[in-house]
Amino acid sequence: MDVQSTELKCSLCKSEVYDYCPEFVEQLKTKYGHLKDFQLFYINFKKNPDSVCDLCPTCRINTWRDKYTNCPQVRPHARTTNAPKKNWSNIILIIITFLAFVLGSYWQTLNIYYNTEYLTDLSEAQLKSTMELLENQLPLLEQQQSILKKLNGAFSRLRKPGEPIIFMLLHDDANKKTTDCLASHASISAKKYIFKNSSKSLWIDGSEWTSYTDLNQDHLLYEKLATSLEKNEVLVFENLQDLPWSLAKTLHHLCDTENPKFAKAMYILELKVMDNLKQLSDGEKIVMAERAMNKVWQNAPKEYREALISRLTSYVDTVLWESDQPCNRESFIRISP
């Protein structure tokens, strides 16, 4: 016995009609809800979904388009056996897109991580080579061992998360040349193995800036330093005691350890003091440095002065030996007013 087919055919194109699922009808409602033909179609669909299967969605929409102008096209959605296939295709596409995004973000993060590590981390080999070069440049005196030990600790601060080195050398008139040479040697050694963005360091003489005492001129030093420090990273600051408070404020942002302007930087500060430098403990060296800076910047507000001084005294040591050995200044860029 022949069995009559129950498949619903479009009266125009004779294709099988299976697209009128509730979700697709709601989409049609969004696009064509203002048309009277759709309103009649919608009423019939609610009563009996099969009653609207006389036309496939494509032919029905084309009929509406022919009758009404400016009708947007709607892509039909299947509700029978084809629907799961399309849904699975969409799900797979979403998964692939999501995985591509995650993997792309991962590689980008990994790349940034390794670039950051390269720029900010100090390896054991770099530290060892730097300290060996410094030891070879300096005379074999017991007095200098404290400085070398503290420099070793200061360089270690460049490891994650990264913060600048602030190293202060206390001296008097008798060992000013020795202090300059020590600062020069430390800078050159660090440049060779650690701060390799450029071949030169910066050098400032605070005595050249003594006339800039107006508080409205506090931006001058920063403007001179900002771009140069970003490239050259290392600064030797001699005669810090001669720098007016109006300009000394610039060092507050540069030497901040929590939110520094440059996380990978080195500042070697030379401070002249009038006290006897011999036989001092580490704590007494810091007190001597604080006393000297409080004196030269005594007109500054106490809370701001103390905050700055605390940033400048991370590592403090004294230069005790005297030498007339000439220092190499060719590798420095002078920053003058």
Side-chain angles (χ1 to χ4, degrees):
M1 181 177 65
D2 294 335
V3 179
Q4 186 176 2
S5 173
T6 59
E7 293 180 351
L8 300 174
K9 301 287 187 178
C10 175
S11 60
L12 294 180
C13 68
K14 306 305 180 181
S15 63
E16 184 179 352
V17 181
Y18 50 75
D19 298 272
Y20 292 117
C21 61
E23 293 80 10
F24 177 61
V25 172
E26 288 300 318
Q27 185 183 8
L28 290 176
K29 183 178 180 181
T30 301
K31 301 292 184 179
Y32 303 103
H34 61 290
L35 302 181
K36 291 182 179 180
D37 285 7
F38 171 82
Q39 294 168 8
L40 179 61
F41 163 85
Y42 190 71
I43 292 173
N44 292 334
F45 176 80
K46 289 293 186 181
K47 291 180 180 179
N48 181 12
D50 290 339
S51 67
V52 299
C53 291
D54 56 322
L55 293 175
C56 68
T58 301
C59 292
R60 189 176 300 280
I61 292 171
N62 287 336
T63 300
W64 292 343
R65 189 181 299 113
D66 292 339
K67 187 174 182 180
Y68 303 95
T69 59
N70 299 324
C71 288
Q73 296 183 2
V74 177
R75 185 178 180 179
H77 296 278
R79 67 165 179 169
T80 58
T81 56
N82 285 0
K85 295 180 180 178
K86 294 183 179 181
N87 288 338
W88 275 111
S89 298
N90 291 336
I91 292 172
I92 292 173
L93 181 61
I94 292 173
I95 292 174
I96 292 173
T97 303
F98 175 76
L99 289 176
F101 172 79
V102 171
L103 288 174
S105 300
Y106 171 76
W107 284 113
Q108 183 179 11
T109 303
L110 192 62
N111 184 54
I112 292 173
Y113 172 78
Y114 279 115
N115 284 340
T116 302
E117 291 289 292
Y118 177 77
L119 289 175
T120 60
D121 268 7
L122 176 65
S123 69
E124 288 290 342
Q126 287 174 300
L127 179 58
K128 182 179 179 181
S129 298
T130 303
M131 297 310 300
E132 286 178 349
L133 181 58
L134 262 172
E135 290 174 2
N136 292 332
Q137 290 174 327
L138 299 179
L140 297 176
L141 298 176
E142 183 178 352
Q143 298 167 337
Q144 79 183 27
Q145 295 306 310
S146 173
I147 293 178
L148 289 174
K149 182 178 179 180
K150 288 182 182 179
L151 277 172
N152 186 81
F155 284 129
S156 297
R157 300 189 77 161
L158 291 176
R159 302 185 181 190
K160 293 187 302 183
E163 57 185 56
I165 297 172
I166 301 97
F167 200 95
M168 178 172 288
L169 296 172
L170 305 181
H171 66 87
D172 54 25
D173 288 329
N175 47 40
K176 174 65 169 66
K177 288 185 179 180
T178 306
T179 306
D180 289 343
C181 284
L182 178 58
S184 177
H185 291 324
S187 173
I188 293 172
S189 301
K191 270 293 180 182
K192 185 172 182 178
Y193 295 110
I194 301 174
F195 303 95
K196 298 189 288 188
N197 281 349
S198 71
S199 60
K200 294 182 179 294
S201 300
L202 307 178
W203 194 290
I204 288 183
D205 186 347
S207 61
E208 295 181 351
W209 299 78
T210 54
S211 62
Y212 295 90
T213 56
D214 191 334
L215 291 178
N216 293 327
Q217 298 173 321
D218 59 355
H219 62 286
L220 296 178
L221 182 59
Y222 182 82
E223 291 176 353
K224 286 275 189 176
L225 281 177
T227 303
S228 297
L229 267 173
E230 185 174 8
K231 178 181 179 181
N232 299 286
E233 304 172 306
V234 177
L235 169 67
V236 176
F237 207 123
E238 68 169 318
N239 293 319
L240 180 65
Q241 72 282 349
D242 294 332
L243 189 69
W245 167 250
S246 57
L247 301 181
K249 292 188 297 180
T250 296
L251 299 177
H252 183 283
H253 303 289
L254 296 178
C255 299
D256 186 9
T257 57
E258 294 184 1
N259 188 28
K261 176 64 177 176
F262 306 105
K264 186 180 180 183
M266 179 176 181
Y267 307 101
I268 303 178
L269 312 174
E270 299 182 22
L271 180 66
K272 177 183 174 181
V273 295
M274 306 304 295
D275 304 277
N276 186 357
L277 300 176
K278 296 181 180 180
Q279 304 300 322
L280 296 175
S281 66
D282 285 342
E284 290 170 335
K285 294 172 185 176
I286 294 175
V287 170
M288 182 179 293
E290 292 175 342
R291 182 165 59 242
M293 287 184 284
N294 273 307
K295 182 177 180 180
V296 297
W297 297 327
Q298 58 184 321
N299 294 328
K302 182 179 179 181
E303 62 272 21
Y304 296 118
R305 184 176 70 245
E306 289 181 346
L308 171 61
I309 291 175
S310 67
R311 285 161 170 77
L312 302 185
T313 51
S314 299
Y315 292 91
V316 179
D317 216 325
T318 55
V319 181
L320 299 177
W321 70 96
E322 301 178 19
S323 173
D324 291 329
Q325 178 184 355
C327 297
N328 179 15
R329 297 291 185 93
E330 295 179 359
S331 60
F332 293 89
I333 299 173
R334 300 283 299 198
I335 303 295
S336 300

